[in-house]
Amino acid sequence: MNTFKDFLKGKLKKAACVAIFNPQNRILLVRRSSTAEWMPLHYCFPGGHSENGESSIDTAERETYEETGIELNKSNMRLIETQINNGYINSIFVSNIDNSKVLLNDEHDKYIWADYDDCKDLLLVPQLYNFINKLKNQGYFE
């Protein structure tokens, strides 16, 4: 089991992702391609590994743009949770955007703007459904 002390000792890698809501209060989920090393064909939030010296919010912004073509505004991004698991400290942000245009890169083969009930029927990466439930309980999806 990893702890925050492991992160302080440099034993954990950093990652970040973003729960993005469109004007219809639907959340963006991207499906990992069939060739993905980890969890192929599972849905997740846009995100990924931090580069050297990169802040979590910069990682979330960069990865979202690389994976979806969506340009986020950092002033509209809010850190809502930090998780430590599988050798990573993962910062999870939430953001709203004004449109629903998505341009996937080759890391993902599909995307969906999902309402809360849609999420129940999708193959999600581990722990994502629990996090989506937390978002629901915090008033998102309304």
Side-chain angles (χ1 to χ4, degrees):
M1 181 171 158
N2 299 116
T3 65
F4 188 70
K5 288 181 182 178
D6 292 326
F7 172 70
L8 294 175
K9 293 177 184 178
K11 293 182 181 178
L12 297 177
K13 299 172 188 168
K14 287 180 13 180
C17 61
V18 187
I20 301 170
F21 286 88
N22 70 6
Q24 293 76 37
N25 286 324
R26 292 178 172 258
I27 195 166
L28 177 62
L29 298 170
V30 292
R31 190 172 80 169
R32 300 174 58 77
S33 73
S34 62
T35 58
E37 290 181 31
W38 182 74
M39 306 302 291
L41 302 178
H42 285 66
Y43 283 89
C44 60
F45 295 146
H49 304 98
S50 295
E51 294 179 354
N52 282 341
E54 189 175 46
S55 70
S56 295
I57 196 166
D58 287 339
T59 299
E61 179 185 43
R62 175 184 53 77
E63 285 284 344
T64 297
Y65 182 73
E66 288 176 1
E67 294 178 0
T68 67
I70 295 172
E71 292 185 48
L72 297 174
N73 182 335
K74 288 184 206 173
S75 65
N76 293 333
M77 295 171 65
R78 191 168 64 95
L79 178 66
I80 52 175
E81 187 165 307
T82 301
Q83 299 176 344
I84 298 175
N85 54 35
N86 297 326
Y88 285 89
I89 184 165
N90 188 27
S91 300
I92 305 171
F93 294 86
V94 67
S95 184
N96 293 331
I97 61 171
D98 294 334
N99 64 62
S100 300
K101 185 176 179 182
V102 176
L103 300 170
L104 291 179
N105 70 1
D106 60 354
E107 292 179 50
H108 302 93
D109 65 1
K110 196 175 190 181
Y111 72 91
I112 183 172
W113 287 103
D115 64 22
Y116 177 74
D117 290 330
D118 293 334
C119 297
K120 297 174 187 176
D121 298 326
L122 298 171
L123 185 59
L124 304 175
V125 296
Q127 302 301 319
L128 188 58
Y129 189 71
N130 293 337
F131 186 75
I132 288 171
N133 277 330
K134 287 180 186 180
L135 289 171
K136 172 76 169 163
N137 293 335
Q138 292 176 12
Y140 293 93
F141 294 102
E142 295 177 357

